[in-house]
Amino acid sequence: QVQLVESGGGLVQPGGSLRLSCAASGFDFSSYVMNWYRQTPGKQRELVATAGTFGETSYADSVKGRFTISRVDAKRLVYLQMNSLKLEDTAVYYCNVWYREVDYWGQGTQVTVSS
């Protein structure tokens, strides 16, 4: 079955950096678009970044120039490098794949930006 396991969250000061990782299994990883979302209490889950299957990437306007998504297909991993973190980046971050018409999510990893 499809499994997505995120790691790398934590507490960081404004301006700091974190790298999130997502380990995927249960599907042909290299053939599917991978996404990072985030969610804060009381708000809808927000698409942060997307990594396509041909090296293409896209980002929410709020993170452009600060976050970088990447994938290593041979290791079935997708990363989110987050630099210049802001207070408003505080959220639970989720790895996501749309596979066979079903949305799959990891358990999420908490990122807290605070001084």
Side-chain angles (χ1 to χ4, degrees):
Q1 70 277 22
V2 174
Q3 281 195 313
L4 302 170
V5 180
E6 302 98 336
S7 60
L11 174 64
V12 63
Q13 292 187 337
S17 297
L18 280 175
R19 188 177 80 157
L20 306 183
S21 301
C22 171
S25 61
F27 63 101
D28 182 14
F29 181 82
S30 63
S31 298
Y32 289 86
V33 173
M34 297 299 298
N35 305 301
W36 282 99
Y37 281 77
R38 66 186 181 187
Q39 189 170 25
T40 53
K43 291 188 176 181
Q44 279 195 322
R45 206 163 281 191
E46 172 193 21
L47 178 61
V48 174
T50 294
T53 58
F54 297 101
E56 68 275 31
T57 58
S58 63
Y59 300 91
D61 287 344
S62 57
V63 307
K64 275 181 186 174
R66 300 188 298 120
F67 290 12
T68 302
I69 188 170
S70 60
R71 60 191 296 164
V72 180
D73 288 348
K75 295 186 176 181
R76 307 173 65 83
L77 291 168
V78 59
Y79 300 103
L80 186 67
Q81 177 68 44
M82 305 185 295
N83 298 329
S84 303
L85 282 161
K86 303 177 180 180
L87 297 176
E88 53 264 40
D89 294 319
T90 295
V92 178
Y93 284 73
Y94 297 91
C95 184
N96 164 266
V97 65
W98 174 259
Y99 173 70
R100 294 188 177 177
E101 300 185 2
V102 176
D103 254 333
Y104 289 91
W105 303 91
Q107 82 286 356
T109 185
Q110 176 70 48
V111 172
T112 301
V113 184
S114 175
S115 54

PDB file of all heavy atoms in Angstrom, residues 1-2 7 11 17 19 48-49 55 65-66 83-86 90 92 96 102 107-108 112 114:
ATOM      1  N   GLN A   1       0.837  -1.181   0.000  1.00  0.00           N
ATOM      2  CA  GLN A   1       0.000   0.000   0.000  1.00  0.00           C
ATOM      3  C   GLN A   1       0.883   1.245   0.000  1.00  0.00           C
ATOM      4  O   GLN A   1       2.050   1.195   0.384  1.00  0.00           O
ATOM      5  CB  GLN A   1      -0.919   0.011   1.233  1.00  0.00           C
ATOM      6  CG  GLN A   1      -0.227   0.253   2.567  1.00  0.00           C
ATOM      7  CD  GLN A   1       0.373  -0.993   3.157  1.00  0.00           C
ATOM      8  OE1 GLN A   1       0.646  -1.969   2.440  1.00  0.00           O
ATOM      9  NE2 GLN A   1       0.613  -0.977   4.453  1.00  0.00           N
ATOM     10  N   VAL A   2       0.284   2.355  -0.403  1.00  0.00           N
ATOM     11  CA  VAL A   2       1.023   3.612  -0.462  1.00  0.00           C
ATOM     12  C   VAL A   2       1.329   4.101   0.950  1.00  0.00           C
ATOM     13  O   VAL A   2       0.463   4.120   1.827  1.00  0.00           O
ATOM     14  CB  VAL A   2       0.209   4.674  -1.211  1.00  0.00           C
ATOM     15  CG1 VAL A   2       0.901   6.029  -1.152  1.00  0.00           C
ATOM     16  CG2 VAL A   2      -0.005   4.258  -2.661  1.00  0.00           C
ATOM     17  N   SER A   7       9.699  13.639   7.652  1.00  0.00           N
ATOM     18  CA  SER A   7      10.601  13.876   8.775  1.00  0.00           C
ATOM     19  C   SER A   7      11.309  15.205   8.559  1.00  0.00           C
ATOM     20  O   SER A   7      11.259  15.771   7.451  1.00  0.00           O
ATOM     21  CB  SER A   7      11.618  12.745   8.914  1.00  0.00           C
ATOM     22  OG  SER A   7      12.407  12.634   7.746  1.00  0.00           O
ATOM     23  N   LEU A  11      11.711  23.147  15.559  1.00  0.00           N
ATOM     24  CA  LEU A  11      11.628  24.553  15.964  1.00  0.00           C
ATOM     25  C   LEU A  11      12.832  25.294  15.403  1.00  0.00           C
ATOM     26  O   LEU A  11      13.975  24.837  15.561  1.00  0.00           O
ATOM     27  CB  LEU A  11      11.613  24.634  17.486  1.00  0.00           C
ATOM     28  CG  LEU A  11      11.674  26.031  18.117  1.00  0.00           C
ATOM     29  CD1 LEU A  11      10.437  26.830  17.747  1.00  0.00           C
ATOM     30  CD2 LEU A  11      11.824  25.909  19.627  1.00  0.00           C
ATOM     31  N   SER A  17      16.739  27.833   8.642  1.00  0.00           N
ATOM     32  CA  SER A  17      16.474  26.869   7.583  1.00  0.00           C
ATOM     33  C   SER A  17      16.121  25.500   8.171  1.00  0.00           C
ATOM     34  O   SER A  17      16.568  25.153   9.274  1.00  0.00           O
ATOM     35  CB  SER A  17      17.709  26.707   6.689  1.00  0.00           C
ATOM     36  OG  SER A  17      18.030  27.909   6.035  1.00  0.00           O
ATOM     37  N   ARG A  19      15.213  21.324   6.449  1.00  0.00           N
ATOM     38  CA  ARG A  19      14.966  20.480   5.285  1.00  0.00           C
ATOM     39  C   ARG A  19      14.046  19.356   5.697  1.00  0.00           C
ATOM     40  O   ARG A  19      14.377  18.568   6.586  1.00  0.00           O
ATOM     41  CB  ARG A  19      16.254  19.914   4.700  1.00  0.00           C
ATOM     42  CG  ARG A  19      15.989  19.203   3.377  1.00  0.00           C
ATOM     43  CD  ARG A  19      17.251  18.678   2.716  1.00  0.00           C
ATOM     44  NE  ARG A  19      17.695  17.425   3.282  1.00  0.00           N
ATOM     45  CZ  ARG A  19      18.463  16.549   2.634  1.00  0.00           C
ATOM     46  NH1 ARG A  19      18.881  16.815   1.406  1.00  0.00           N
ATOM     47  NH2 ARG A  19      18.841  15.431   3.226  1.00  0.00           N
ATOM     48  N   VAL A  48       2.143  23.940  -1.231  1.00  0.00           N
ATOM     49  CA  VAL A  48       3.370  24.718  -1.077  1.00  0.00           C
ATOM     50  C   VAL A  48       4.288  24.550  -2.291  1.00  0.00           C
ATOM     51  O   VAL A  48       4.799  25.524  -2.834  1.00  0.00           O
ATOM     52  CB  VAL A  48       4.114  24.289   0.201  1.00  0.00           C
ATOM     53  CG1 VAL A  48       5.463  24.981   0.311  1.00  0.00           C
ATOM     54  CG2 VAL A  48       3.271  24.563   1.430  1.00  0.00           C
ATOM     55  N   ALA A  49       4.497  23.303  -2.699  1.00  0.00           N
ATOM     56  CA  ALA A  49       5.445  23.051  -3.791  1.00  0.00           C
ATOM     57  C   ALA A  49       5.123  21.725  -4.453  1.00  0.00           C
ATOM     58  O   ALA A  49       4.598  20.813  -3.811  1.00  0.00           O
ATOM     59  CB  ALA A  49       6.872  23.036  -3.266  1.00  0.00           C
ATOM     60  N   GLY A  55      11.409  16.881 -13.866  1.00  0.00           N
ATOM     61  CA  GLY A  55      12.260  17.908 -13.284  1.00  0.00           C
ATOM     62  C   GLY A  55      11.590  19.249 -13.082  1.00  0.00           C
ATOM     63  O   GLY A  55      12.189  20.169 -12.538  1.00  0.00           O
ATOM     64  N   GLY A  65      11.348  31.550  -4.054  1.00  0.00           N
ATOM     65  CA  GLY A  65      12.634  32.154  -3.737  1.00  0.00           C
ATOM     66  C   GLY A  65      13.193  31.756  -2.391  1.00  0.00           C
ATOM     67  O   GLY A  65      14.353  32.053  -2.083  1.00  0.00           O
ATOM     68  N   ARG A  66      12.375  31.107  -1.568  1.00  0.00           N
ATOM     69  CA  ARG A  66      12.839  30.681  -0.240  1.00  0.00           C
ATOM     70  C   ARG A  66      12.845  29.159  -0.087  1.00  0.00           C
ATOM     71  O   ARG A  66      13.696  28.612   0.600  1.00  0.00           O
ATOM     72  CB  ARG A  66      11.932  31.281   0.836  1.00  0.00           C
ATOM     73  CG  ARG A  66      11.898  32.789   0.851  1.00  0.00           C
ATOM     74  CD  ARG A  66      11.143  33.333   2.060  1.00  0.00           C
ATOM     75  NE  ARG A  66       9.745  32.920   2.077  1.00  0.00           N
ATOM     76  CZ  ARG A  66       9.192  32.200   3.069  1.00  0.00           C
ATOM     77  NH1 ARG A  66       9.915  31.828   4.105  1.00  0.00           N
ATOM     78  NH2 ARG A  66       7.909  31.884   3.016  1.00  0.00           N
ATOM     79  N   ASN A  83      14.361  27.871   3.406  1.00  0.00           N
ATOM     80  CA  ASN A  83      15.309  28.886   3.865  1.00  0.00           C
ATOM     81  C   ASN A  83      14.570  30.176   4.200  1.00  0.00           C
ATOM     82  O   ASN A  83      13.415  30.362   3.802  1.00  0.00           O
ATOM     83  CB  ASN A  83      16.352  29.158   2.784  1.00  0.00           C
ATOM     84  CG  ASN A  83      17.181  27.941   2.441  1.00  0.00           C
ATOM     85  OD1 ASN A  83      17.428  27.090   3.293  1.00  0.00           O
ATOM     86  ND2 ASN A  83      17.609  27.845   1.194  1.00  0.00           N
ATOM     87  N   SER A  84      15.255  31.045   4.906  1.00  0.00           N
ATOM     88  CA  SER A  84      14.682  32.343   5.275  1.00  0.00           C
ATOM     89  C   SER A  84      13.280  32.186   5.855  1.00  0.00           C
ATOM     90  O   SER A  84      12.336  32.886   5.467  1.00  0.00           O
ATOM     91  CB  SER A  84      14.640  33.271   4.044  1.00  0.00           C
ATOM     92  OG  SER A  84      15.920  33.443   3.493  1.00  0.00           O
ATOM     93  N   LEU A  85      13.159  31.287   6.789  1.00  0.00           N
ATOM     94  CA  LEU A  85      11.844  30.971   7.348  1.00  0.00           C
ATOM     95  C   LEU A  85      11.257  32.159   8.078  1.00  0.00           C
ATOM     96  O   LEU A  85      11.968  32.925   8.743  1.00  0.00           O
ATOM     97  CB  LEU A  85      11.944  29.760   8.256  1.00  0.00           C
ATOM     98  CG  LEU A  85      12.009  28.422   7.494  1.00  0.00           C
ATOM     99  CD1 LEU A  85      12.575  27.316   8.378  1.00  0.00           C
ATOM    100  CD2 LEU A  85      10.629  28.044   6.972  1.00  0.00           C
ATOM    101  N   LYS A  86       9.935  32.273   7.952  1.00  0.00           N
ATOM    102  CA  LYS A  86       9.181  33.351   8.576  1.00  0.00           C
ATOM    103  C   LYS A  86       8.206  32.770   9.590  1.00  0.00           C
ATOM    104  O   LYS A  86       7.867  31.590   9.537  1.00  0.00           O
ATOM    105  CB  LYS A  86       8.398  34.121   7.503  1.00  0.00           C
ATOM    106  CG  LYS A  86       9.255  34.697   6.389  1.00  0.00           C
ATOM    107  CD  LYS A  86       8.381  35.371   5.344  1.00  0.00           C
ATOM    108  CE  LYS A  86       9.219  35.960   4.207  1.00  0.00           C
ATOM    109  NZ  LYS A  86       8.360  36.625   3.194  1.00  0.00           N
ATOM    110  N   THR A  90       5.022  28.708   9.990  1.00  0.00           N
ATOM    111  CA  THR A  90       4.658  27.731  11.009  1.00  0.00           C
ATOM    112  C   THR A  90       3.417  26.959  10.583  1.00  0.00           C
ATOM    113  O   THR A  90       2.392  27.556  10.249  1.00  0.00           O
ATOM    114  CB  THR A  90       4.400  28.435  12.353  1.00  0.00           C
ATOM    115  OG1 THR A  90       5.615  29.028  12.807  1.00  0.00           O
ATOM    116  CG2 THR A  90       3.884  27.455  13.391  1.00  0.00           C
ATOM    117  N   VAL A  92       1.872  22.460  10.034  1.00  0.00           N
ATOM    118  CA  VAL A  92       2.184  21.051   9.826  1.00  0.00           C
ATOM    119  C   VAL A  92       2.354  20.855   8.320  1.00  0.00           C
ATOM    120  O   VAL A  92       1.496  21.264   7.536  1.00  0.00           O
ATOM    121  CB  VAL A  92       1.080  20.137  10.373  1.00  0.00           C
ATOM    122  CG1 VAL A  92       1.422  18.675  10.096  1.00  0.00           C
ATOM    123  CG2 VAL A  92       0.888  20.359  11.861  1.00  0.00           C
ATOM    124  N   ASN A  96       2.440  14.546  -0.216  1.00  0.00           N
ATOM    125  CA  ASN A  96       1.204  14.120  -0.889  1.00  0.00           C
ATOM    126  C   ASN A  96       1.496  13.548  -2.274  1.00  0.00           C
ATOM    127  O   ASN A  96       2.372  14.026  -2.992  1.00  0.00           O
ATOM    128  CB  ASN A  96       0.264  15.314  -1.018  1.00  0.00           C
ATOM    129  CG  ASN A  96      -0.837  15.103  -2.015  1.00  0.00           C
ATOM    130  OD1 ASN A  96      -0.717  15.481  -3.183  1.00  0.00           O
ATOM    131  ND2 ASN A  96      -1.924  14.495  -1.588  1.00  0.00           N
ATOM    132  N   VAL A 102      -6.687   8.614  -5.993  1.00  0.00           N
ATOM    133  CA  VAL A 102      -6.807   8.757  -4.545  1.00  0.00           C
ATOM    134  C   VAL A 102      -5.683   9.667  -4.058  1.00  0.00           C
ATOM    135  O   VAL A 102      -4.529   9.521  -4.482  1.00  0.00           O
ATOM    136  CB  VAL A 102      -6.715   7.389  -3.832  1.00  0.00           C
ATOM    137  CG1 VAL A 102      -6.736   7.573  -2.312  1.00  0.00           C
ATOM    138  CG2 VAL A 102      -7.846   6.477  -4.280  1.00  0.00           C
ATOM    139  N   GLN A 107       1.817  11.503   7.623  1.00  0.00           N
ATOM    140  CA  GLN A 107       1.274  11.866   8.935  1.00  0.00           C
ATOM    141  C   GLN A 107       1.541  13.323   9.276  1.00  0.00           C
ATOM    142  O   GLN A 107       0.935  13.866  10.206  1.00  0.00           O
ATOM    143  CB  GLN A 107       1.883  10.955  10.023  1.00  0.00           C
ATOM    144  CG  GLN A 107       3.264  11.364  10.527  1.00  0.00           C
ATOM    145  CD  GLN A 107       4.394  11.080   9.535  1.00  0.00           C
ATOM    146  OE1 GLN A 107       4.184  10.496   8.464  1.00  0.00           O
ATOM    147  NE2 GLN A 107       5.595  11.489   9.905  1.00  0.00           N
ATOM    148  N   GLY A 108       2.418  13.961   8.519  1.00  0.00           N
ATOM    149  CA  GLY A 108       2.740  15.359   8.744  1.00  0.00           C
ATOM    150  C   GLY A 108       3.916  15.543   9.679  1.00  0.00           C
ATOM    151  O   GLY A 108       4.208  14.690  10.527  1.00  0.00           O
ATOM    152  N   THR A 112       7.814  24.824  13.348  1.00  0.00           N
ATOM    153  CA  THR A 112       7.485  25.986  14.160  1.00  0.00           C
ATOM    154  C   THR A 112       8.604  27.009  14.022  1.00  0.00           C
ATOM    155  O   THR A 112       9.766  26.710  14.317  1.00  0.00           O
ATOM    156  CB  THR A 112       7.309  25.604  15.626  1.00  0.00           C
ATOM    157  OG1 THR A 112       6.269  24.629  15.748  1.00  0.00           O
ATOM    158  CG2 THR A 112       6.943  26.829  16.464  1.00  0.00           C
ATOM    159  N   SER A 114       9.812  30.445  15.431  1.00  0.00           N
ATOM    160  CA  SER A 114       9.574  31.299  16.590  1.00  0.00           C
ATOM    161  C   SER A 114      10.891  31.807  17.147  1.00  0.00           C
ATOM    162  O   SER A 114      11.905  31.101  17.111  1.00  0.00           O
ATOM    163  CB  SER A 114       8.824  30.506  17.672  1.00  0.00           C
ATOM    164  OG  SER A 114       8.689  31.283  18.844  1.00  0.00           O
TER     165      SER A 114
END
